[in-house]
Amino acid sequence: MRRENQSSVSQFLLLGLPIPPGQKGLFFTLFLGMYLTTVLGNLFIILLIRLDSRLHTPMYFFLSHLAFIDICFSSVTVPKMLTNMQTQNLSIPYEGCVSQTYFFILFADLDSFLITSMAYDRYVAICHPLQYTTIMSQNICIMLVAGSWVIASACALLHTLLLARLSFCADHAVPHFFCDLAALLKLSCSDTSLNQLVIFTAGLTAIMLPFLCILVSYGHIGATILQVPSTKGIRKALSTCGSHLSVVTLYYGAIIGLYFIPSSNNSNDNNIIASLMYTVVTPMLNPFIYSLRNKDMKGAQRKFLH
């Protein structure tokens, strides 16, 4: 909670997307459609996995949790962005801004951990198929998901507590469509060196370390696939990883573009576009990726429709 001796502002102004005034109605309709597609598509994925007993496997257990996290991830930022576009009320209370930052970091980290768990599941399925049921037991899957929640919650809470101790003096306009942590730190008139250090260390833990684990997993998968003598075996192995690889590419591609590619003069617009990619576009595309590129999911859809 904000105390008066910690901050001199009671609210922030979210400047939103760099959209010409005459086109806001068009973009409002576009993003509303994308958000509804995200929610309905991911709910459909969860429903299929719950109803089809053939999908009660570790891979789809992780996928159902990923679909739920994607709904939450988009819901943290998109409804407020749509409200601002429609009402022109750009303000957000201090407490609401800090809460939005917390949940944004929480669900972003959870996405990263769940994608990594799915990569580990594919590694075990392809590289150690005989021990798959033993290694990927129900208890292990539950522990991986629970551990993801614990670590992500701790990281988000640490960032939020450090943010709450900062002072914000004069400028309280956030050049973003949500309360982005990096944008808020630029508005602070306090020393943010500790915050920057925690962002670096926590970023390595929550983003780069899982990414390296994914690369190692797919390195072993690639080596195993090359040892398969038949083309049919290679196609079968690739079909089990294609959907997940597409999600990994979308998610980490946007993050790498946002944080690791050198910024240009219009870096703020680029940051907003990259943020839209992994908060709006990627959660919307995940259901389509798993529906169109996954044989089991397509079979479950046909069974559900019949």
Side-chain angles (χ1 to χ4, degrees):
M1 296 296 292
R2 181 182 63 87
R3 294 185 176 90
E4 291 301 324
N5 61 352
Q6 288 181 315
S7 174
S8 59
V9 297
S10 60
Q11 63 182 12
F12 290 96
L13 295 178
L14 298 176
L15 300 185
L17 303 175
I19 299 174
Q23 299 181 5
K24 285 193 174 182
L26 174 63
F27 279 92
F28 174 84
T29 304
L30 173 64
F31 286 118
L32 177 61
M34 294 173 70
Y35 177 65
L36 293 177
T37 302
T38 298
V39 174
L40 295 177
N42 282 289
L43 283 177
F44 185 60
I45 291 289
I46 296 172
L47 179 64
L48 286 180
I49 294 173
R50 293 280 294 178
L51 293 180
D52 197 325
S53 58
R54 295 174 301 176
L55 302 181
H56 294 173
T57 62
M59 176 182 175
Y60 296 106
F61 174 77
F62 293 130
L63 177 58
S64 64
H65 283 272
L66 180 65
F68 172 74
I69 296 303
D70 280 342
I71 294 173
C72 297
F73 194 24
S74 286
S75 298
V76 169
T77 59
V78 178
K80 178 60 178 174
M81 178 185 72
L82 293 174
T83 302
N84 289 359
M85 292 173 65
Q86 189 70 10
T87 64
Q88 302 300 315
N89 180 19
L90 305 181
S91 64
I92 181 173
Y94 176 90
E95 292 81 2
C97 191
V98 173
S99 299
Q100 190 182 56
T101 301
Y102 171 82
F103 286 109
F104 180 85
I105 297 172
L106 170 66
F107 293 125
D109 289 351
L110 277 171
D111 250 358
S112 178
F113 292 139
L114 285 175
I115 290 173
T116 306
S117 298
M118 295 173 74
Y120 177 69
D121 172 78
R122 293 300 83 204
Y123 159 74
V124 176
I126 294 176
C127 300
H128 304 283
L130 299 180
Q131 292 84 31
Y132 179 75
T133 54
T134 303
I135 297 175
M136 298 303 297
S137 64
Q138 184 179 10
N139 289 336
I140 294 297
C141 294
I142 294 174
M143 287 177 59
L144 287 172
V145 173
S148 299
W149 275 95
V150 170
I151 298 174
S153 299
C155 289
L157 182 61
L158 178 60
H159 285 299
T160 307
L161 291 176
L162 291 175
L163 175 65
R165 71 181 182 88
L166 300 178
S167 298
F168 298 91
C169 302
D171 188 7
H172 58 281
V174 182
H176 221 300
F177 64 91
F178 69 99
C179 290
D180 179 57
L181 179 60
L184 291 174
L185 294 183
K186 293 179 180 179
L187 299 180
S188 174
C189 52
S190 302
D191 181 14
T192 61
S193 57
L194 180 58
N195 300 74
Q196 300 291 350
L197 177 62
V198 171
I199 288 175
F200 177 75
T201 55
L204 289 178
T205 303
I207 302 297
M208 293 311 300
L209 184 59
F211 183 57
L212 291 176
C213 292
I214 292 173
L215 292 180
V216 171
S217 296
Y218 276 101
H220 286 287
I221 290 173
T224 302
I225 289 176
L226 292 177
Q227 296 174 3
V228 178
S230 66
T231 305
K232 182 180 178 181
I234 294 176
R235 284 201 303 266
K236 183 179 180 181
L238 289 175
S239 67
T240 64
C241 301
S243 301
H244 183 254
L245 273 174
S246 300
V247 172
V248 170
T249 303
L250 278 173
Y251 181 79
Y252 283 101
I255 290 180
I256 290 172
L258 178 59
Y259 294 108
F260 297 99
I261 293 180
S263 59
S264 60
N265 293 330
N266 59 340
S267 59
N268 187 63
D269 290 352
N270 292 339
N271 291 345
I272 292 176
I273 293 172
S275 297
L276 282 172
M277 280 296 299
Y278 73 89
T279 59
V280 181
V281 179
T282 300
M284 181 193 69
L285 292 180
N286 285 353
F288 294 101
I289 291 172
Y290 280 102
S291 299
L292 298 176
R293 301 196 58 176
N294 190 289
K295 182 179 178 181
D296 294 333
M297 289 298 297
K298 287 190 286 188
Q301 289 179 64
R302 287 193 295 268
K303 181 179 177 182
F304 176 80
L305 294 175
H306 290 161

